[in-house]
Amino acid sequence: MNTPERSSAFILDDDEEKIEYFADTKVSNAGTFTFNKEDHTVANLLRMQLLRDPAVKFAGYMHPHPLIHKIHLKIQTSTSQVAPAETLSAAIEDLSNETDHLITQVTDSIDKWKRENSTDIMGM
């Protein structure tokens, strides 16, 4: 068959970079990040987190083709004081913190449920 190898959708080739940045020559305080081997899941998370930042004027992404595992994320900041790379870095850090918080909350809730229900299970 001529189908591509499944691992080619998420494993970087030796000559590929995960993220590339291209400054926008037409719009000030803007740039495009290309994420290799990513899809809508990561792109939409980043876009939504970037839009929460008051320093971000525009954040949007494009997935060029379903068979091309690349995302183009465009960011424009509202001032020249803040670079697009800084806002992306802050968004990634914020998402990491939110994920850590979510994992802690779920783990604590599971432990609480186990403590509350362990006697019921043993008493049967």
Side-chain angles (χ1 to χ4, degrees), residues 15-36:
D15 60 339
E16 270 186 314
E17 294 289 327
K18 184 65 175 177
I19 302 174
E20 298 172 285
Y21 176 70
F22 304 99
D24 197 321
T25 57
K26 296 179 181 177
V27 180
S28 62
N29 310 325
T32 302
F33 294 88
T34 300
F35 291 83
N36 290 312

Side-chain angles (χ1 to χ4, degrees), residues 28-30 53-58 75-84 86-87:
S28 62
N29 310 325
D53 188 342
V56 174
K57 188 174 187 177
F58 173 82
I75 302 170
Q76 182 182 7
T77 58
S78 54
T79 68
S80 61
Q81 307 288 328
V82 182
E86 292 174 30
T87 59

